[in-house]
Amino acid sequence: MRFDVVTLMPAMFDALTKEGVVAKAINRQIAQIGLWNPRDYTTDLHRTVDDRPYGGGPGMVMKYQPLQQAIESAQAVSPQAKVVYLSPQGRRFDQHQAKAVAAGRQSLLLIAGRYEGVDERIIQRYVDEEWSIGDYVLSGGELAAMVVLDAVIRLLPGALGDADSAQQDSFMDGLLDCPHYTRPDEIDGLSVPSVLQGGNHDAIRRWRLQQALMRTNRRRPDLLQGRHMTVEEEKFLAEIIAASGDAEQTQEQ
Ligand code: 9D3
């Protein structure tokens, strides 16, 4: 699957492409990432990519012409790609969108802005969608583009090891994760829950589901709204809610 990014800071993407799951996916030819720098399309001596905003005010704006040529060069390679401008004004990117892009193999041409953003006419003429990754202020769109790429590429078949991919459609989908432990069974006076040390796989499954429901109910109750629940989950959640406030429960904050 092909991805393209228009960016003034292509070296930032080394962090994504040289190490980890995305690097493996690229080496296995599951994903390909093209980087397009508007500075390479400037024609003036100073290779100018920004200019002062019409109407005045602080900050600079990314100029139309170098961006346009970077976008059109990327489109010549990826004519079918959905053009996405990463911006704080965009709709929130979430796991549903990551899954939709990966499942539909929809190529993406991501535009990462710097300064105060891009000339609005780039959005009018080239951009299909604007995506934000959350309500906090970044210094540019590159980290957001990398978040999108990581979230999508790890979902592509073959990108993860078997164990991880099996977990991807886990029965605890849409819940926070349960606690994890590894050896030793006791350290600094802290022990591993005994159920995990026994061999009762259904008891372990039930404990993990209860822990996931308990954590989700406490930390992210919004995730439970509108989530389909099995009869077993409904039962466990009812027990958790009935017991919430008990001394026993206070260890799970
Ligand atoms: C402090 C500058 N702001 C003036 C009101 C506007 C502003 C411009 C450019 C704020 C952030 C940015 C750069 N951010 C992104 O390019 C960006 C972003 C983000 O900041 N938060 C969440 N998602 C994204 S996607 C792209």
Side-chain angles (χ1 to χ4, degrees):
M1 199 179 160
R2 169 97 196 179
F3 302 88
D4 292 278
V5 186
V6 171
T7 171
L8 289 171
M9 301 188 169
M12 283 184 73
F13 289 80
D14 287 357
L16 184 74
T17 59
K18 303 259 143 103
E19 211 146 32
V21 167
V22 171
K24 282 209 184 79
I26 292 168
N27 290 332
R28 292 171 182 165
Q29 300 186 38
I30 291 162
Q32 195 183 0
I33 301 177
L35 299 170
W36 306 86
N37 188 345
R39 203 174 296 280
D40 294 339
Y41 300 90
T42 54
T43 53
D44 66 314
L45 187 66
H46 298 287
R47 308 181 78 200
T48 311
V49 291
D50 62 331
D51 205 345
R52 292 173 303 158
Y54 272 113
M60 298 292 270
V61 176
M62 285 179 78
K63 285 174 73 66
Y64 191 96
Q65 178 268 326
L67 256 179
Q68 171 181 52
Q69 281 186 255
I71 292 167
E72 291 194 358
S73 301
Q75 284 181 319
V77 178
S78 308
Q80 309 286 349
K82 175 183 281 184
V83 180
V84 175
Y85 175 42
L86 284 318
S87 100
Q89 284 74 48
R91 149 151 175 253
R92 171 85 119 269
F93 174 78
D94 64 15
Q95 189 64 15
H96 296 111
Q97 286 169 80
K99 283 182 178 173
V101 172
R105 305 284 190 276
Q106 169 69 70
S107 287
L108 298 178
L109 198 178
L110 303 173
I111 302 172
R114 280 278 144 180
Y115 318 113
E116 291 308 304
V118 304
D119 188 305
E120 187 67 20
R121 293 166 293 186
I122 286 289
I123 302 171
Q124 280 179 262
R125 171 119 189 247
Y126 291 100
V127 171
D128 298 315
E129 294 184 18
E130 282 184 68
W131 294 352
S132 161
I133 62 161
D135 293 338
Y136 34 79
V137 180
L138 302 174
S139 309
E142 283 78 9
L143 286 172
M146 285 191 262
V147 165
V148 169
L149 292 170
D150 187 87
V152 172
I153 290 171
R154 65 184 294 283
L155 295 176
L156 297 176
L160 296 177
D162 289 344
D164 292 312
S165 13
Q167 232 211 307
Q168 219 141 59
D169 272 308
S170 132
F171 70 103
M172 296 195 305
D173 219 17
L175 298 177
L176 299 185
D177 211 352
C178 60
H180 302 284
Y181 299 88
T182 187
R183 294 184 296 174
D185 63 14
E186 204 211 286
I187 191 160
D188 287 342
L190 302 168
S191 53
V192 174
S194 55
V195 63
L196 299 178
Q197 299 184 70
N200 186 338
H201 296 293
D202 200 58
I204 291 169
R205 184 193 62 79
R206 279 185 271 115
W207 181 87
R208 286 177 170 160
L209 178 56
Q210 286 167 332
Q211 290 292 317
L213 284 165
M214 200 181 300
R215 285 179 154 191
T216 309
N217 182 55
R218 292 229 167 201
R219 303 183 192 187
R220 293 292 307 278
D222 57 299
L223 296 180
L224 296 175
Q225 300 303 314
R227 181 179 177 275
H228 173 265
M229 298 251 260
T230 65
V231 172
E232 184 185 45
E233 287 169 352
E234 292 279 16
K235 189 192 97 182
F236 286 157
L237 186 59
E239 290 168 1
I240 288 162
I241 289 166
S244 66
D246 285 13
E248 225 179 11
Q249 296 274 323
T250 53
Q251 64 154 2
E252 175 55 49
Q253 287 298 343

